[in-house]
Amino acid sequence: KINVSFGIELGMQSHLSRKLAAYSKNHDFDFIIASSHLCNRKDPYLKEFFEGRPEKEGYHEYFQYISECIRSFQNFDVYGHLDYVLRYGPTRNENFSFGEYKEDIDKILTLLIDNGKGIEVNSSGFSYGLGAPHPCREILLRYKELGGEILTIGSDAHSPERIAADFDKVSDLLTTCGFTHYCVFKNRMPEYYRI
């Protein structure tokens, strides 16, 4: 026997906040994950997002936009793959330094914690060749340092064989970061389980 829950991932865009609010209120979801696949109506997946500017500028814009989205809409439980943009940057995470983006990321994490929201630890970063989940170790450590406790674990599986892929790596990483529990949501409430 397994429990089947009813959840959704909402692609956050600040100009859609009213539509997202109406949609999310009209269904009895167990779990709502918010995420940013677009940034100011531009897609980091496309090379045009980074064209004509330094990679750092694109990363800063993306992280700052997440804060804007959180301020405009809060009917969700966790924010997914916070550093998703690293999948598609010109050098991906090769030149990523947490210190360069600490101010932007601290704003995101503080907004989430202050509003009782959590973060998703998404194992797909391993399958994309980043050598880390989304978000990376430094962001996870900072979330813990700021008092964050609500974590869910996802694999972003787009095919059956990717379900729960690399969860062993994620659990090891979370333990070394000082986390002892992860969450599963039921009726929009977190249930805590030991890692």
Side-chain angles (χ1 to χ4, degrees):
K1 289 185 176 181
I2 62 169
N3 292 319
V4 178
S5 297
F6 182 45
I8 191 168
E9 179 178 4
L10 296 177
M12 298 290 287
Q13 295 186 69
S14 56
H15 69 281
L16 296 178
S17 58
R18 286 186 180 177
K19 287 184 179 181
L20 294 174
Y23 183 81
S24 60
K25 287 179 184 175
N26 285 332
H27 301 284
D28 293 325
F29 292 113
D30 287 299
F31 177 57
I32 298 177
I33 184 169
S35 61
S36 292
H37 297 93
L38 297 178
C39 172
N40 292 314
R41 304 186 191 205
K42 298 174 288 188
D43 193 338
Y45 173 80
L46 301 174
K47 291 180 181 178
E48 290 81 8
F49 183 80
F50 293 97
E51 274 183 359
R53 62 174 171 171
E55 182 178 59
K56 288 180 181 180
E57 188 179 312
Y59 289 174
H60 278 296
E61 181 185 359
Y62 179 84
F63 290 127
Q64 290 165 6
Y65 188 67
I66 290 178
S67 292
E68 182 182 325
C69 288
I70 295 169
R71 284 191 294 269
S72 71
F73 176 80
Q74 293 180 3
N75 190 18
F76 63 89
D77 303 306
V78 303
Y79 218 95
H81 47 62
L82 284 176
D83 57 5
Y84 165 88
V85 71
L86 298 182
R87 289 184 194 173
Y88 305 113
T91 66
R92 297 162 40 103
N93 64 344
E94 183 180 324
N95 297 317
F96 177 79
S97 165
F98 173 75
E100 172 74 29
Y101 308 94
K102 183 179 182 296
E103 186 177 328
D104 297 336
I105 293 168
D106 275 3
K107 285 179 184 175
I108 295 169
L109 298 178
T110 301
L111 277 169
L112 292 172
I113 293 166
D114 288 351
N115 288 287
K117 310 300 180 189
I119 61 174
E120 175 211 32
V121 185
N122 187 309
S123 67
S124 69
F126 291 108
S127 65
Y128 280 94
L130 300 177
H134 294 295
C136 63
R137 177 185 176 83
E138 293 83 1
I139 296 175
L140 291 169
L141 284 168
R142 185 61 176 153
Y143 179 64
K144 177 71 173 166
E145 187 177 297
L146 291 171
E149 296 180 351
I150 301 172
L151 292 173
T152 61
I153 302 172
S155 59
D156 217 344
H158 289 218
S159 58
E161 64 272 11
R162 296 300 304 162
I163 294 172
D166 297 309
F167 274 20
D168 56 333
K169 295 176 185 175
V170 169
S171 63
D172 290 345
L173 176 60
L174 291 177
T175 301
T176 64
C177 288
F179 292 100
T180 57
H181 292 81
Y182 69 96
C183 298
V184 173
F185 278 78
K186 191 72 177 172
N187 298 318
R188 305 292 306 280
M189 296 297 294
E191 298 177 356
Y192 290 84
Y193 296 88
R194 185 163 285 281
I195 295 173

